[in-house]
Amino acid sequence: MAIRVFLLLPVFLSSAIVSFSLYEDQAGLADWHQRYIGKVKHAVFHTQKTGRKRVIVSTEENVVASLDLRHGEIFWRHVLGTKDAIDGVGIALGKYVITLSSEGSTLRAWNLPDGQMVWETALHSAHHSKSLLSVPINLKVDKDYPITVFGGGYLHAVSALDGEVLWEKDFTAEGFEVQRVLQPLGSTVIYVLGFVNLSEAVVYQIDSKSGEVLAQKSMAFPGGFSGEISSVSSDKVVVLDSTKSILVTIGFLDGDISFQKTPISDLVEDSGNAEILSPLLSNMLAVKVNKRTVFVKVGGEGKLEVVDSLSDETAMSDSLAVADDQEAFASVHHEGSKIHLMVKLVNELDNVLLRETIEMDQHRGRVHKVFMNNYIRTDRSNGFRALIVMEDHSLLLLQQGAIVWSREEGLASVTDVTTAELPVEKDGVSVAKVEHTLFEWLKGHVLKLKGSLLLASPEDVVAIQELRVKSSGKNKLTRDHNGFRKLILALTRGGKLFALHTGDGRIVWSMLLKSQACERPNGISLYQWQVPHHHAMDKNPSVLVVGRCGSDSSAPGVLSFVDVYTGKEITSSDIGHSVVQVLPLPFTDSTEQRLHLIADTVGHVHLYPKTSEALSIFQREFQNIYWYTVEADDGIIRGHVMKSSCSGETADEYCFTTRELWTVVFPSESEKIISTLTRKSNEVVHTQAKVNTDQDLLYKYVSKNLLFVATVSPKGAGEIGSVTPEESSLVVYLIDTITGRILHRLSHQGCQGPVHAVFSENWVVYHYFNLRAHKYEVTVVEIYDQSRAENKNVWKLILGKHNLTAPITSYSRPEVFTKSQSYFFAQSVKTIAVTSTAKGITSKQLLIGTIGDQILALDKRFVDPRRTLNPSQAEKEEGIIPLTDSLPIIPQSYVTHSHRVEGLRGIVTAPSKLESTTHVFAYGVDLFYTRLAPSKTYDSLTDDFSYALLLITIVVLVAAIYITWALSEKKELSEKWR
Amino acid sequence: MAPILRSTSLLALFVCHISLFFCFFVSNLPISSGSEDSYTITGRVRIPASTVIGHAAKFSNIKVILNGGQNVTFLRPDGYFTFHKVPAGTHLIEVYAMGYFFSPVRVDVSARHHGKVQATLTETRRSLTELVLEPLRPEQYYEMREPFNVMAIAKSPMGLMVGFMVVVVFLMPKLMENIDPEEMKSAQEQMRSQGVPSLTSLLPASR
């Protein structure tokens, strides 16, 4: 028996090392991938030619993309680097997409049909300034008009054909700020308008061919400018003065500067501070005064005149030439659940070219941006389509009074993710009929059998795929036995909560966060509020959404409680204090609402839910609540305990003061905190002990109060290449967060960050850069409990002379020892996560999000400090892999297979009910979901289990039994006759 | 793994010359704040022609990353890439292309030699005379399906079951024949007395 096991084991292990692998036809069965672009900043339509109509957009996620105008699909897209924010987009020569990025210092051209980069030019830049891109609209393709770019204090003219800088002009003089670069159509003179110290207007006239300054005029303005500016025509701009109450028209016709002041009180009666709105309208500007949008027409001599005023909630597009000397613009305003889209002529605001009313989902919020495009209808009249960006970042195309397509671009900026169960299947609701008849069932399985025997034709393969998706019933909105169907709740930066189905990634419901205190709260984080499973079974589970009014950490917080099944907000409250940290406590009340503490900026903590029951539970555990704060900038970690109730008039009984218990101060001249990490609070550990090959026991030091801290020397906190190995060192600590005791310290000389780490059970794995070897390294640290190491003797256990039942307290000094090992890793890493299963029995895999936006599944056995160069036979049997200096990158173990999760930011894992399986959700600009079985699905049959083969086998066996029975009968009979 | 082709353009040297020239040019300009110590790295990504299928489509999706995400750039149609404004020092360049594995490249930009670039593959520790990056190996993200084969069927659990049954059906009678007739008789008697035939009682070894 032993021999057999011995023989089988290597076979088993060799198959288990590549534990994630997929056949090509299995792609998309358990996983899905969604591509997004983010909140659109600029949009340029390309509809002139017949053929594919497209819109080029750039977004806040630094994405430049070409979208199909008919369906909203992505033709191509590029995600630029995180520091490469796009300042402007244009189309040059009718075939290149031009993007200006990195504060006006990088200009790139992309081929319009396929997105291939054609040229890239680095522009000279000296300091931060506005960056302005102007791509000439020329209808003659053969003639190369230069692109004018202003950025970093220089004006450049760049050839659109090859990106060659034709000339550049220096505008870096002290105090001079360029505001506008204008080129009248067909003119060879470029006007550059700027302010010197916001008190003097300067206009340069520059020859567009050579870059020479033809003329320069300046004129002081005594009042000073505020910096808000709107250009109304090629020779006029309107600015606000420094008091924001006077509009100043600056005319610079032929280089002569003239000012004309118009107080806003002359235009609007109840005047206040004004704000110039961004849309560019010809000979007109839009000003926001007293929450009203006022359209001001600019006359020939700079005379201002109010022509219209609208309610506040109006978004406008830039004006667009619709016919000879006629320009139109689109405006969108809300009315109840509808939006009204109007296209008006700039010259005659009464002349409404288009008026459409469209029903709009309330959970999209307000319209933020409008981009308009016109087309010629068959009857030669003008038709209009409008691309609108909503408050929740979604992108919609409106045409002929309907939403042609919409894209949920909010999902490109997910900030927090949690999972939730689906409702249980109710009685009376019959299980969806998956197989109709036995014949069809058999047919399906015969098809599958053909597929697995590689006998299937291409049509069969398609049929098999369809059948698999259908038969798995994976898209149903009810809980399943294995826990494969779940809801992924994703909170976005725009303050919208989405519930995605794990089966196909569709949006089950979505909800926009609301607040009375502010217009639009930002989403911060998401917590499980109520998960009924013992009591309160009639209640639906709910989540707590924490938001904030504004980006500042001292801004007041907003709490929202959302029913997971329906997506309806149960209650929401403006809590009146700031939110710094949210601590879910390990206690629930009688309705299984989890108690949460919210710490604010003044050092108080607030208990939620605000019920007397919660308060009494909390009072019981008052002494046992500890938490810590990390002040990364000062290099201090502090531990806190509860002190007493808040005093003061505004305080209620759910507010508590705290006391500092311990501090860990890192010397600021040598160490700077770059990463901190704790274990996931809901992680399940199956076994406390680990059995060695020599029948030795190691007890894991499993504590929820361990904090991993990584520090680098301040010089090494920058990028790779900015520091030499001698100057930088990386130190990691394991700190007990109850006592502040440092349990372990490990120093890596000549290493630097960024550190990406994952903490699970009793081990930490972290990734950093080794400057000496100039390679990335991964180190594993496992921490074991020495004090329980004596409990190995069976007799001691029998006689009760062990300390296993002794209470574990954080106050006693734990006797721990650690084991660690380092390996090289050949890729930069963006994030690391670890699989989590229901009972924690299944072996773990590290999920490494690489810089190539793929996710690599690496078995934990590769990062095991017990690996040696020559493992003994016994160790090999146990599954210890011989030590190698670098971790293997096996292409088949990329869980994202042929997809890229562009802009990857985080990976979330959640257990399913089936022990072997875990849900993996990765988010960035894209979303990706898959189900993983780190040790293969040992507890269930796989999807490709061939029932037909089983059936055939049974039939054959039964037939064989009958035949042999008949044969033996016959034989027996003949023997009896003998 | 793929040999670096040395016979092509002397790119790296060329690059140094360009950047050297560039530096002089820049420093002659009246205002050039902070540009004396920044250089340009230019290189080329070459994918072997053998995997030419979908070559162009893949080319537009290749990213070149400096220092783990500090700068990201893309390839021109001819495979060239450039990083501008790189300070002198030791840097890391990584190439990400779906379907290929590229070794990270250690790039030393020398301040003393006006931005001379030295490149070393960190995986194989091979130094490059010119910055031409080639994939170490292609990557296949899917398992290949084994073609139909009888042994695979036979090895599968069901195949083993069938095999076992075949053995029982055809070999058992042979075994039975070898049993002594008297023993057989007694066994049958026993069977009758027990009423229920059991497999163990049929086997001679069980007695």
Side-chain angles (χ1 to χ4, degrees):
Chain A
M1 186 67 194
I3 295 163
R4 195 180 305 157
V5 169
F6 176 59
L7 282 174
L8 274 175
L9 220 72
V11 176
F12 178 70
L13 288 178
S14 62
S15 68
I17 280 178
V18 185
S19 39
F20 180 83
S21 56
L22 208 63
Y23 296 110
E24 194 155 5
D25 50 282
Q26 287 174 325
L29 279 184
D31 59 289
W32 46 261
H33 177 234
Q34 293 176 353
R35 310 205 301 158
Y36 292 102
I37 51 176
K39 187 182 182 185
V40 169
K41 282 201 288 195
H42 314 103
V44 182
F45 292 88
H46 184 259
T47 52
Q48 281 89 352
K49 282 187 184 160
T50 49
R52 280 178 164 177
K53 299 201 183 331
R54 56 190 96 214
V55 56
I56 310 298
V57 293
S58 76
T59 73
E60 288 179 357
E61 305 292 328
N62 302 350
V63 176
V64 53
S66 165
L67 303 180
D68 184 351
L69 208 47
R70 285 187 201 286
H71 309 291
E73 282 150 14
I74 299 171
F75 281 137
W76 54 263
R77 116 196 118 142
H78 290 289
V79 183
L80 307 187
T82 46
K83 293 174 193 163
D84 211 6
I86 300 170
D87 304 311
V89 205
I91 296 178
L93 305 172
K95 59 179 180 179
Y96 294 155
V97 175
I98 308 291
T99 59
L100 180 68
S101 58
S102 294
E103 295 180 327
S105 67
T106 310
L107 192 67
R108 292 191 181 98
W110 314 89
N111 195 12
L112 186 60
D114 62 1
Q116 165 76 51
M117 192 178 81
V118 186
W119 50 258
E120 179 188 41
T121 303
L123 300 173
H124 207 213
S125 73
H127 58 74
H128 296 286
S129 70
K130 277 192 181 178
S131 32
L132 311 160
L133 170 73
S134 89
V135 180
I137 309 156
N138 57 335
L139 301 168
K140 283 177 227 148
V141 176
D142 52 328
K143 200 144 186 261
D144 182 16
Y145 288 100
I147 301 163
T148 48
V149 178
F150 179 79
Y154 286 86
L155 180 71
H156 309 261
V158 182
S159 161
L161 272 180
D162 52 6
E164 191 194 341
V165 178
L166 302 173
W167 50 261
E168 64 178 12
K169 177 79 187 80
D170 177 10
F171 286 105
T172 52
E174 194 60 42
F176 182 68
E177 273 181 60
V178 171
Q179 299 290 336
R180 282 288 182 272
V181 177
L182 301 162
Q183 184 174 15
L185 204 68
S187 164
T188 56
V189 180
I190 297 170
Y191 293 91
V192 177
L193 171 80
F195 300 149
V196 177
N197 297 326
L198 290 175
S199 63
E200 191 181 351
V202 185
V203 173
Y204 289 88
Q205 288 182 53
I206 291 167
D207 182 33
S208 69
K209 292 268 183 293
S210 62
E212 279 168 47
V213 177
L214 300 172
Q216 181 197 350
K217 291 272 169 63
S218 69
M219 197 170 176
F221 182 75
F225 304 112
S226 72
E228 285 184 49
I229 186 164
S230 176
S231 49
V232 290
S233 66
S234 57
D235 57 0
K236 260 188 236 81
V237 295
V238 178
V239 293
L240 267 176
D241 80 334
S242 54
T243 61
K244 295 204 170 190
S245 59
I246 300 171
L247 286 171
V248 185
T249 314
I250 306 174
F252 46 90
L253 190 68
D254 302 324
D256 293 323
I257 302 178
S258 64
F259 294 128
Q260 186 151 5
K261 287 191 262 186
T262 313
I264 287 169
S265 51
D266 287 7
L267 301 171
V268 194
E269 285 139 27
D270 48 342
S271 66
N273 275 3
E275 192 186 323
I276 291 180
L277 297 175
S278 55
L280 297 174
L281 309 168
S282 72
N283 290 322
M284 197 161 75
L285 80 154
V287 185
K288 192 171 160 186
V289 189
N290 280 345
K291 295 189 169 184
R292 289 188 73 77
T293 307
V294 180
F295 290 95
V296 181
K297 193 173 174 64
V298 184
E301 292 81 41
K303 201 169 143 39
L304 302 185
E305 182 192 351
V306 174
V307 285
D308 199 5
S309 82
L310 292 170
S311 67
D312 176 45
E313 315 289 1
T314 307
M316 283 166 291
S317 72
D318 292 351
S319 64
L320 180 86
V322 288
D324 306 326
D325 66 283
Q326 273 197 324
E327 297 219 2
F329 72 101
S331 69
V332 180
H333 66 271
H334 288 259
E335 194 187 304
S337 65
K338 293 187 171 93
I339 60 164
H340 298 284
L341 170 70
M342 282 197 278
V343 179
K344 296 177 190 172
L345 283 181
V346 172
N347 297 332
E348 308 161 56
L349 287 177
D350 301 330
N351 189 351
V352 179
L353 297 177
L354 181 81
R355 190 196 296 272
E356 283 172 356
T357 303
I358 294 153
E359 193 74 33
M360 184 59 74
D361 180 6
Q362 285 291 293
H363 288 297
R364 291 198 193 276
R366 303 266 161 213
V367 177
H368 264 191
K369 277 189 175 135
V370 185
F371 302 97
M372 188 184 64
N373 176 238
N374 66 329
Y375 58 92
I376 308 295
R377 291 211 196 97
T378 41
D379 60 353
R380 301 216 158 259
S381 64
N382 267 306
F384 295 95
R385 51 172 87 90
L387 196 64
I388 58 171
V389 181
M390 305 296 288
E391 207 167 6
D392 69 340
H393 301 184
S394 60
L395 183 71
L396 297 96
L397 184 80
L398 309 181
Q399 192 173 341
Q400 292 172 346
I403 300 169
V404 182
W405 50 260
S406 64
R407 295 182 60 87
E408 291 290 348
E409 292 304 336
L411 285 168
S413 58
V414 172
T415 56
D416 200 7
V417 177
T418 188
T419 55
E421 293 289 348
L422 282 159
V424 187
E425 202 144 6
K426 295 260 170 30
D427 292 334
V429 182
S430 67
V431 181
K433 281 203 176 81
V434 178
E435 283 95 14
H436 301 285
T437 59
L438 183 71
F439 175 69
E440 274 186 26
W441 179 83
L442 251 179
K443 205 171 85 180
H445 281 294
V446 168
L447 265 176
K448 271 191 194 175
L449 183 67
K450 269 168 94 179
S452 57
L453 299 182
L454 282 186
L455 300 171
S457 64
E459 298 93 76
D460 287 348
V461 171
V462 174
I464 292 167
Q465 292 281 19
E466 267 175 29
L467 207 78
R468 276 179 168 165
V469 170
K470 211 166 68 183
S471 70
S472 55
K474 65 176 192 172
N475 300 338
K476 283 198 290 181
L477 270 175
T478 49
R479 220 175 278 185
D480 65 334
H481 187 65
N482 291 332
F484 288 172
R485 292 199 294 266
K486 267 194 170 188
L487 285 179
I488 298 168
L489 304 180
L491 182 66
T492 68
R493 204 172 48 222
K496 199 171 186 183
L497 184 66
F498 288 92
L500 307 174
H501 196 285
T502 54
D504 53 359
R506 70 177 186 275
I507 296 165
V508 178
W509 50 260
S510 62
M511 190 215 74
L512 195 65
L513 206 58
K514 286 191 203 74
S515 161
Q516 262 83 48
C518 63
E519 214 167 282
R520 174 61 41 230
N522 295 333
I524 310 174
S525 51
L526 208 53
Y527 300 90
Q528 299 281 357
W529 180 252
Q530 193 177 17
V531 188
H533 62 294
H534 288 307
H535 317 288
M537 290 299 282
D538 53 323
K539 290 254 174 80
N540 288 355
S542 55
V543 289
L544 164 66
V545 186
V546 181
R548 188 187 282 154
C549 284
S551 51
D552 188 32
S553 71
S554 61
V558 179
L559 298 189
S560 176
F561 304 93
V562 183
D563 186 324
V564 168
Y565 290 173
T566 61
K568 298 277 181 299
E569 192 170 50
I570 302 163
T571 54
S572 77
S573 58
D574 292 294
I575 51 177
H577 57 81
S578 54
V579 177
V580 177
Q581 215 175 348
V582 183
L583 310 155
L585 298 178
F587 320 114
T588 53
D589 68 5
S590 59
T591 57
E592 296 208 52
Q593 295 188 67
R594 186 160 296 278
L595 272 60
H596 284 71
L597 283 179
I598 298 182
D600 63 13
T601 41
V602 291
H604 291 170
V605 290
H606 304 263
L607 177 70
Y608 292 88
K610 290 194 170 182
T611 58
S612 53
E613 190 198 352
L615 194 64
S616 70
I617 296 168
F618 183 70
Q619 294 287 10
R620 269 205 302 277
E621 304 288 343
F622 197 70
Q623 299 298 320
N624 294 330
I625 290 161
Y626 300 84
W627 83 99
Y628 67 93
T629 50
V630 180
E631 291 158 36
D633 296 333
D634 306 327
I636 301 172
I637 298 173
R638 294 175 203 276
H640 307 270
V641 277
M642 292 290 153
K643 195 170 146 199
S644 61
S645 293
C646 289
S647 55
E649 283 176 15
T650 53
D652 57 7
E653 53 188 323
Y654 303 103
C655 167
F656 300 92
T657 57
T658 61
R659 179 164 62 87
E660 203 174 286
L661 194 64
W662 52 264
T663 48
V664 175
V665 183
F666 296 98
S668 60
E669 66 275 7
S670 63
E671 293 183 34
K672 184 178 185 303
I673 299 174
I674 52 165
S675 173
T676 57
L677 184 77
T678 53
R679 271 179 59 197
K680 261 206 247 174
S681 59
N682 57 355
E683 192 188 48
V684 186
V685 181
H686 179 249
T687 169
Q688 296 265 323
K690 201 170 180 177
V691 186
N692 260 353
T693 37
D694 44 359
Q695 306 300 311
D696 207 7
L697 266 185
L698 286 175
Y699 285 92
K700 297 175 185 171
Y701 185 74
V702 181
S703 163
K704 299 221 168 187
N705 305 315
L706 273 187
L707 176 70
F708 167 83
V709 181
T711 66
V712 286
S713 32
K715 270 192 166 180
E719 303 282 352
I720 296 162
S722 61
V723 69
T724 58
E726 290 73 33
E727 289 171 333
S728 185
S729 67
L730 176 81
V731 188
V732 298
Y733 298 89
L734 286 172
I735 297 174
D736 189 301
T737 58
I738 305 292
T739 58
R741 190 174 281 137
I742 293 171
L743 297 179
H744 182 63
R745 179 182 187 275
L746 188 63
S747 165
H748 301 273
Q749 293 300 322
C751 294
Q752 70 162 184
V755 170
H756 299 279
V758 63
F759 199 153
S760 173
E761 294 195 354
N762 66 328
W763 50 264
V764 188
V765 171
Y766 53 98
H767 176 272
Y768 55 93
F769 192 70
N770 184 335
L771 285 159
R772 289 228 167 82
H774 218 75
K775 273 180 163 187
Y776 285 101
E777 246 177 40
V778 168
T779 293
V780 57
V781 177
E782 292 191 352
I783 178 161
Y784 292 99
D785 194 348
Q786 186 72 56
S787 61
R788 296 199 285 163
E790 302 307 313
N791 299 326
K792 291 170 202 163
N793 198 321
V794 180
W795 287 109
K796 272 191 179 174
L797 288 175
I798 291 167
L799 296 172
K801 285 186 178 173
H802 59 84
N803 59 358
L804 286 177
T805 51
I808 295 167
T809 165
S810 282
Y811 288 120
S812 66
R813 184 174 181 82
E815 293 169 50
V816 295
F817 70 99
T818 56
K819 290 181 164 199
S820 63
Q821 209 168 54
S822 299
Y823 322 88
F824 288 126
F825 190 72
Q827 288 190 347
S828 297
V829 161
K830 282 186 167 177
T831 179
I832 310 184
V834 65
T835 57
S836 56
T837 52
K839 301 271 189 291
I841 301 167
T842 310
S843 68
K844 300 215 177 242
Q845 275 183 340
L846 298 176
L847 299 171
I848 302 173
T850 67
I851 193 109
D853 297 322
Q854 290 171 294
I855 299 169
L856 183 75
L858 185 75
D859 214 291
K860 171 66 178 63
R861 284 182 298 149
F862 284 107
V863 283
D864 186 341
R866 290 188 298 151
R867 281 175 72 181
T868 50
L869 277 176
N870 287 309
S872 66
Q873 200 60 50
E875 281 175 332
K876 268 186 198 160
E877 267 177 50
E878 203 201 328
I880 288 184
I881 302 158
L883 183 64
T884 47
D885 64 344
S886 60
L887 295 175
I889 294 175
I890 304 157
Q892 283 90 351
S893 53
Y894 279 113
V895 299
T896 46
H897 47 96
S898 58
H899 295 302
R900 259 181 174 173
V901 191
E902 290 280 4
L904 180 66
R905 282 197 310 271
I907 303 168
V908 177
T909 59
S912 67
K913 273 187 211 152
L914 203 62
E915 168 55 29
S916 66
T917 317
T918 171
H919 297 275
V920 177
F921 179 66
Y923 58 91
V925 174
D926 289 357
L927 303 181
F928 179 80
Y929 163 86
T930 190
R931 258 195 331 261
L932 282 189
S935 311
K936 298 204 164 173
T937 46
Y938 56 81
D939 49 3
S940 76
L941 292 173
T942 55
D943 281 345
D944 6 310
F945 182 78
S946 181
Y947 289 94
L949 195 58
L950 180 71
L951 206 73
I952 290 167
T953 315
I954 290 169
V955 168
V956 168
L957 287 178
V958 168
I961 286 167
Y962 272 95
I963 291 163
T964 46
W965 178 71
L967 283 175
S968 69
E969 284 275 285
K970 210 170 155 190
K971 200 171 179 186
E972 213 169 298
L973 197 69
S974 64
E975 261 181 29
K976 275 183 184 164
W977 277 108
R978 201 189 288 165
Chain B
M1 274 179 207
I4 310 287
L5 294 173
R6 287 159 199 277
S7 57
T8 52
S9 66
L10 291 160
L11 192 82
L13 292 170
F14 191 59
V15 167
C16 305
H17 286 198
I18 289 173
S19 56
L20 185 142
F21 171 70
F22 183 71
C23 292
F24 276 117
F25 176 68
V26 164
S27 54
N28 286 339
L29 279 172
I31 297 155
S32 57
S33 55
S35 52
E36 286 92 353
D37 57 342
S38 70
Y39 304 97
T40 304
I41 302 173
T42 300
R44 186 178 179 192
V45 172
R46 196 213 305 267
I47 288 180
S50 59
T51 47
V52 78
I53 314 138
H55 185 239
K58 277 177 178 170
F59 229 61
S60 68
N61 284 323
I62 297 177
K63 277 186 189 180
V64 188
I65 298 163
L66 181 73
N67 292 343
Q70 185 189 336
N71 278 331
V72 178
T73 193
F74 301 85
L75 296 187
R76 266 169 246 169
D78 51 4
Y80 283 90
F81 65 88
T82 313
F83 288 109
H84 301 277
K85 293 168 195 158
V86 182
T90 309
H91 303 277
L92 190 75
I93 289 179
E94 290 166 277
V95 180
Y96 282 98
M98 288 303 278
Y100 296 98
F101 178 78
F102 283 82
S103 164
V105 188
R106 172 198 173 124
V107 175
D108 293 282
V109 180
S110 154
R112 203 173 296 161
H113 298 102
H114 306 287
K116 185 176 158 55
V117 173
Q118 261 186 335
T120 318
L121 293 180
T122 60
E123 284 297 285
T124 54
R125 304 201 180 164
R126 170 215 282 274
S127 65
L128 301 175
T129 50
E130 49 194 346
L131 200 53
V132 176
L133 310 178
E134 296 196 331
L136 276 188
R137 53 178 178 265
E139 283 188 336
Q140 180 70 44
Y141 298 118
Y142 298 109
E143 289 281 304
M144 294 305 285
R145 271 223 189 269
E146 294 287 323
F148 175 71
N149 107 27
V150 183
M151 276 314 285
I153 293 276
K155 274 182 192 163
S156 74
M158 256 113 34
L160 288 175
M161 260 166 79
V162 172
F164 180 72
M165 286 316 287
V166 167
V167 167
V168 169
V169 167
F170 293 100
L171 293 185
M172 274 310 230
K174 291 268 188 321
L175 278 173
M176 300 278 273
E177 278 169 22
N178 292 342
I179 298 168
D180 190 34
E182 278 178 24
E183 233 173 295
M184 188 73 183
K185 206 171 270 174
S186 66
Q188 277 168 353
E189 265 167 31
Q190 200 185 346
M191 230 192 306
R192 256 177 240 121
S193 66
Q194 278 177 353
V196 187
S198 72
L199 189 70
T200 46
S201 61
L202 281 172
L203 289 171
S206 68
R207 297 193 52 167

